[in-house]
Amino acid sequence: MTFFRNISALFMSLCFLLSTQSKAGSSLDSLYALLTSAKADTARAVLFYKISNAETQDSLILEYALKAKELGEKLILSNNEKEVTIGKNVLANSFHNIGFVEMNRGNPDLGLTYMNKSLFYFTAANNKWGMGMALNNTGYIYHNQGLLDKALENYLKSIKYREEAHDDEGLAFSLNNVGYIYYNLNENEKTLYYYKKALLIRKRGNNKSALATSLHNLGYMYQEIALKRNKKDSTLIILNTALNFYNQALSLRRAVNDKMGIALSYNIIAFVYDKKANSFSNIDSINWYKNQALQFYQVALSIREEISDKNGEANSLSNIAMIYYDLKQLNEAKRYGEKAYTIATQIGFPAAIQTSARALYNIYKKSGKYKEALEMHEQFKRVADTLNGVSVQRSIAKKQAQYDFEKKLEMAKNEQDKKDILAAEERYEQQIIRNFLFAGLLVVLVFTFIIFKSYLNKRKANVLILQQKKDVEMAKLTIEKQKDLIELKQKEVVDSIRYAKRIQQAQMANENYISKILQRLKNKI
């Protein structure tokens, strides 16, 4: 089985477009309600393409895309620049959605025509987000036509614009698609590189459909590892690990009602059951797993018929044909295989043609229809050569090298820009430092002047204080001299008094003595 591996990148991108723009507006019911009161052409045009984005039925998507297109063509003829810009974006989105419907209906060439128109108007509006989306979906159509070199060229351009637009979710889709191209070329290292880059981005967001795609891819890588094992026990263990990732992806897709994703999950879960059957030798176990696979394939087919996914229908029909082939129900196998081949050739997708041709080759050969078997084998080989031709691989390698070279140039330019910015910042910082130094020096000079002036004032004050101190000391000396002089005078006076007192005392003693003598004499008489 080949085409079951195909990841529905276009639908995933459209879901991203719808969810992103619906956030800016509101629910589908609200959009219809707003439409009843909208009068201006600009408002009605935007509402028309938003409704086209939000609808899930091809007929309604196309109906409102065409209405938006009609108003967009009117707006771009306006003299008002703002209306012209709105008109360009309206036309870009309208052509994108019309291209999606045509691709989904099995008209890839017409789908490409509208995608190119979408890219033209997104470019005219300088809408890098839209440019990235249109390029990614153009690449998807080329991918399904087997033109892998053109697909890769558009995917890589898409990555560039989505990086510039900081469109992480869209970037993850484009990286995932590049990884899938390398998977088609059996370059597992490059496949894992791009898948892991996509997974890292998706883990940062809340887009369940996108995360489901990465879980799906991770499960697929485990599945590939399991199928390369020779030991049945280890093969079953790893297949169960892959099945776990697939079930996680299915749960996320159910949560957001992603019908194309749900069908894809059922399809690959059926494939795992089919491969698990090959790990048993007991006929009852083999038949049980084959019938489980058949049920899941039938569920996937019914969903794909419901949403008119012709590409998916062809794939599911081929898978069911091979299950009936394994169960030895050749009539049923032939019926489903021929139906798959008819649809595949109608839509012109080489991968779908290859898968259905291989299924019919086995069925015709088993039924004894060797001529028909040979025709299918030759058809299978032609398509295989188209998908895996050396010229295609060389072209892809050239485009990858060109992308890597441009990426390196861009990185070098970014590095130079960073250096220039750093140099400018350094010059600015140096200017600031010089300004601060000048201001600091000025402050120091002012403070120095203030301090010097303060010093002079203090010195003058000190001189005055010293003079006053000298005057005080001189006054003190004068006072002390005067005090000494007074004390000397006082001493002289005291000494005079004392001297007079001694004389007086001396005189008093003589008088007493005379009185005593006179008294004795008197007594004698």
Side-chain angles (χ1 to χ4, degrees), residues 95-162:
F95 284 128
H96 172 273
N97 291 356
I98 295 169
F100 166 73
V101 171
E102 293 299 338
M103 186 282 307
N104 209 32
R105 287 178 172 178
N107 302 314
D109 291 335
L110 194 53
L112 277 174
T113 299
Y114 283 109
M115 285 298 170
N116 287 330
K117 288 183 178 181
S118 173
L119 177 61
F120 173 81
Y121 282 106
F122 275 131
T123 304
N126 195 30
N127 185 334
K128 292 185 178 180
W129 179 90
M131 293 162 70
M133 179 184 66
L135 285 163
N136 176 77
N137 296 341
T138 299
Y140 174 79
I141 296 174
Y142 280 127
H143 194 157
N144 280 292
Q145 289 182 314
L147 304 173
L148 300 187
D149 55 339
K150 289 187 176 181
L152 181 61
E153 180 181 3
N154 281 274
Y155 288 152
L156 294 175
K157 287 180 180 177
S158 172
I159 288 172
K160 176 179 179 294
Y161 287 116
R162 284 177 157 172

Side-chain angles (χ1 to χ4, degrees), residues 177-196:
N177 292 343
V178 172
Y180 185 57
I181 281 187
Y182 284 115
Y183 167 74
N184 290 151
L185 297 173
N186 296 316
E187 296 192 31
N188 291 334
E189 288 187 10
K190 288 185 177 180
T191 301
L192 282 171
Y193 171 77
Y194 283 101
Y195 278 175
K196 286 178 179 178

